[in-house]
Amino acid sequence: MTGSFFTDFITSLAETVAAIVIGVGLLQNLVYLLQLAIAQRTLSVEPPEPRVRTLWRRSAANAPPIALLAPAYNEAATIENSTRSLLALNYPDFEVIIINDGSTDDTMGVLKRAFALQLIERTHDTQLQHQPIEAIYRSAISDRLVVVDKVNGGKADALNAGLNMARAPIVCSIDADSMLEPDALLRAVQPFVEDPQAVVATGGTVRIANGCVIKDGRVVRIGVPRNFWALLQSIEYLRAFLLARLAWSKVGALTIVSGAFGLFRRSVLIEIGGYKRDTVGEDMELVVRLHRHFRERGRAYRIAFVPEPVCWTEAPETLKVLARQRARWHRGALETFVTHRRMFLNPQYGRAGMLGMGQVFLFDVLGPVVEVAGFVLVPLMWALGILSLDYLLAFLAVTFALGVAVSVGSLAIEEAELRRYPKSSDLAALAVAAVVENFGYRQLNSLWRLRGLWEWARGVKSWGEMSRRGFQAS
Amino acid sequence: MLSLVWLTSLALMCASMSVLAALIIARLHRDHVERVRLTLRPKLARALMRFAAGQQEAPKIRIERRVEREALVETALDTVQLMQGGTKERLVAYLRALGIDAILRRQALCRNVRKRVQALEALSLFPGEKTIDVLQRAEASRDLRVWLTALRARCALGVGPDIAGLIEASERTGARRSSAMQELIAERVRTHLNEALAALRTPLQPLTRALLVRALGETGSRHALDPLRLALHNPDPAVRAAAAGGLGALGFDGAADALARATRDSDWRVRLRAAEAIGQLHLWRQAEHLTPLLSDPVWWVRYRAEEALKRLGDLGVKQLARASGPTRPDA
């Protein structure tokens, strides 16, 4: 009697867990397929203008001035090239503000030597709080370059200092270790030109620079990474940017503009109090707060994603660093979700609350738990004889097939509409990666995100070490 | 159920593999087409330029294949933009004889927004009833870029609506916030001052009124002075700010007193624009009105007031020196 009850209980528990795992998994894949359809349609109807000259002719006259804010912390290896890349941008009116956030390496020394920095007095806004500024410099080589040397306070703190310092109506936040394509600003600013009143933020695509040939801080030849982990991340980035962000932006529920490359209306950021300083997901938190701010006040606004402007970034090439990065990203997403939980499925916040926060819950809160549970419990149930081998194999087959379909779909969109990778062999390498990443890498990713969940539950606040090799010059 | 799951998995895998194979084959084909296009373009550009300059007879150009047509359209439009006067007319006539205008008219009504916009922009080179008909049909598009480009092309051909018509169209389509639309209206204001003055006497959305007021300032016409002065009393701060900015751009000192009053406006944007205008017009008699702005609660106003005082020369600098206290970063 007891034995039978126990077996029944375990069986029904296993069935419930399996149903939840399969249900959430199917829902996630359904969302992915919808994203794929929306992204495909958007890019086929509105393909980007490939010629910069045409773009310049159309919008240079109306392009607003931009201040590029690049916080730098211990970036001695990359800062010179990144700064050169920023100064070489093709945009009518811009200023580069590098904020040295109390680096303990030679970041400041490299900047001083490379750009002949001279101490200046510069009046600036003081509305946002940040750690004290020790000195402000302007380059004797390029009057577009301003360097702010401040006491360490974290990335968000540095960005707030940059926001105070900026005088342009539009600011562009960029990681100091990233490189923008020369026409990236002109492309990313388009929504601001088309609708200067309503657009408050736009984001561009971030791609992986490992494998590209870099010269003077510019990507001169695009290639796929030779490192296996970086190659898999290339597909992951395509999926995240070309599918997810484009689709969420299209339905008005974009909850993140990458900290590596995003444009914002400065006055709006000042109005909402700038970047939140006690989170590791300051980019996502800012965008969610923008939604909340405008929805609560009933003001019209738009947060857009433009797929063609590209920011190249160095991806981690070791599992250890990659795991740390992903756990941190996940922690940031959870912190944002908890901070703005009021928005979750709350009709007052429109699509941002219903769809935007809904997807954060589905993919970031439930996602890793359910995925790991699925990959651990389903084989376990089979081992215990609760689940038949036929069902186990079918479950695995459909999971992998959906994963491959979504990855291949994102690669197809990239190839059909953007074609950034010029060599056919690069395309073949990406095609292989689109299949391979589903067998092991995605599962590892779920584990890292679970680690992020654990760190968040423990209240970990640190950024962790992110060692960089620096871009290899040709 | 199990069979359905397996079938779905199999179908998805087959579809994925087929897509991958198709992508690689399509890439190889596209690489070939691109090579052909790159070979054709310089040859075409040379031939077209020599023809336009009268150095050779009409070149024989093949446009049977799609890649040839596309290369010709691209090259022709790039080349024609570099030309003016008689050479341009000669080349445009030749392109028309080749049927480029017909290709563009077809492209202007296709589904792809980028191609449509490209074609609509180029169609302003080929005036005529058929072109105007296509432009008007394109204006029925729900896509704002297509609509706006068609409207601009029509204006460039001299058959666009007047200012009242442009305003009505921009309000109807929601394009009034677009910079390109604003530029189009401002352009019309600069060349048709009377239309703008008449439009200002009608009820308008504040943003539209602000746009007209700002554009009036850029005309540099004395006739704009009174309407701008009047606009400084508008209940909407955006209009008042535009009026102050417009008075600065206008370049006449007839509104000095009105600008001085505007430095005390309740809205910081108006104070800011008034300070800028005083500096721009070198209204040194109004320097005393800038001094209180140096302690304005809004940093931007303080910053612009300081800049304006510097533009007023010695007197302004002296005022600035008297007003400056201990150094503060936001002073």
Side-chain angles (χ1 to χ4, degrees), chain B residues 38-167:
Chain B
L38 287 176
T39 321
L40 278 176
R41 282 200 57 165
K43 285 182 192 164
L44 287 170
R46 258 196 311 275
L48 292 176
M49 285 180 108
R50 285 169 65 96
F51 168 73
Q55 292 168 358
Q56 73 170 62
E57 288 304 303
K60 288 193 177 65
I61 295 173
R62 287 177 48 179
I63 50 170
E64 286 93 44
R65 290 161 63 196
R66 188 174 159 186
V67 59
E68 289 168 343
R69 280 197 301 275
E70 283 181 357
L72 176 62
V73 171
E74 271 177 32
T75 316
L77 296 178
D78 280 352
T79 313
V80 88
Q81 274 166 15
L82 302 172
M83 297 180 174
Q84 283 183 329
T87 50
K88 186 174 179 176
E89 279 171 25
R90 190 171 145 84
L91 186 57
V92 168
Y94 174 61
L95 295 176
R96 205 191 271 271
L98 279 176
I100 297 287
D101 57 337
I103 296 175
L104 290 172
R105 281 197 294 269
R106 275 199 302 277
Q107 196 177 310
L109 299 173
C110 74
R111 187 169 160 267
N112 184 312
V113 171
R114 179 170 62 81
K115 285 188 175 174
R116 291 189 81 176
V117 168
Q118 206 173 42
L120 289 166
E121 281 178 342
L123 273 176
S124 56
L125 291 168
F126 303 98
E129 277 180 23
K130 283 182 185 168
T131 295
I132 291 166
D133 177 53
V134 167
L135 294 178
Q136 280 171 337
R137 282 166 66 189
E139 278 178 48
S141 169
R142 276 186 301 176
D143 188 288
L144 212 57
R145 278 161 297 181
V146 173
W147 176 80
L148 194 51
T149 315
L151 186 64
R152 288 174 79 167
R154 211 149 62 83
C155 290
L157 288 172
V159 290
D162 61 6
I163 288 180
L166 285 173
I167 290 170

Side-chain angles (χ1 to χ4, degrees), chain A residues 246-265:
Chain A
L246 185 56
W248 290 125
S249 141
K250 203 66 194 164
V251 298
L254 184 66
T255 53
I256 184 164
V257 166
S258 172
F261 180 35
L263 269 66
F264 300 89
R265 187 167 296 287

Side-chain angles (χ1 to χ4, degrees), chain A residues 102 105 110 130 141 170 237 288 293 356 360 367-368 390 405 417-418 430 438 443 466:
Chain A
D105 68 355
V110 171
H130 54 77
I141 298 167
I170 307 294
Y237 274 58
V288 174
H293 179 82
V360 175
D390 289 347
E417 308 298 346
L418 300 170
L430 286 172
N438 291 282
Q443 293 71 30
M466 177 74 185

Side-chain angles (χ1 to χ4, degrees), chain A residues 319-449:
Chain A
L319 278 185
K320 194 177 159 195
V321 180
L322 183 57
R324 211 181 292 143
Q325 183 197 53
R326 294 311 157 92
R328 175 165 53 79
W329 285 0
H330 193 69
R331 208 162 9 110
L334 290 171
E335 282 175 4
T336 303
F337 183 80
V338 171
T339 308
H340 298 284
R341 59 189 177 278
R342 185 185 145 77
M343 291 173 71
F344 175 53
L345 299 185
N346 185 340
Q348 185 197 347
Y349 297 96
R351 291 178 182 179
M354 303 297 285
L355 292 176
M357 290 302 269
Q359 64 94 11
V360 175
F361 180 76
L362 181 66
F363 288 95
D364 295 322
V365 179
L366 279 186
V369 180
V370 169
E371 283 160 24
V372 173
F375 286 111
V376 172
L377 288 180
V378 173
L380 190 71
M381 286 191 282
W382 166 73
L384 293 173
I386 299 168
L387 195 70
S388 78
L389 181 65
D390 289 347
Y391 272 99
L392 171 70
L393 293 177
F395 169 80
L396 290 175
V398 80
T399 305
F400 289 124
L402 278 166
V404 170
V406 171
S407 300
V408 168
S410 51
L411 183 61
I413 290 180
E414 147 72 20
E415 178 58 16
E417 308 298 346
L418 300 170
R419 279 190 296 284
R420 285 283 169 170
Y421 296 95
K423 284 162 64 182
S424 305
S425 58
D426 289 346
L427 179 64
L430 286 172
V432 172
V435 177
V436 170
E437 66 135 7
N438 291 282
F439 301 93
Y441 180 70
R442 277 200 182 192
Q443 293 71 30
L444 268 177
N445 225 319
S446 299
L447 273 177
W448 297 330
R449 293 184 334 140

Side-chain angles (χ1 to χ4, degrees), chain A residues 45-48 51 53 57-58 123-124 126 167 193-196 266 390 398 405 415 419 421-422 424, chain B residues 2 9 16 20 27 30-31 41 78 111-114 117 121 145 177-179 299-300 303 329-331:
Chain A
V45 175
E46 305 166 20
R51 306 201 315 163
R53 192 164 46 168
R57 177 173 51 77
R58 277 184 197 149
T123 58
H124 57 84
T126 50
R167 288 174 184 169
V193 175
E194 281 164 16
D195 192 350
R266 178 184 177 273
D390 289 347
V398 80
E415 178 58 16
R419 279 190 296 284
Y421 296 95
S424 305
Chain B
L2 208 56
S9 313
S16 303
L20 282 182
R27 164 60 77 96
R30 202 175 282 127
D31 283 352
R41 282 200 57 165
D78 280 352
R111 187 169 160 267
N112 184 312
V113 171
R114 179 170 62 81
V117 168
E121 281 178 342
R145 278 161 297 181
R177 296 191 307 222
S178 147
S179 301
W299 177 80
W300 277 105
Y303 176 62
D330 59 338

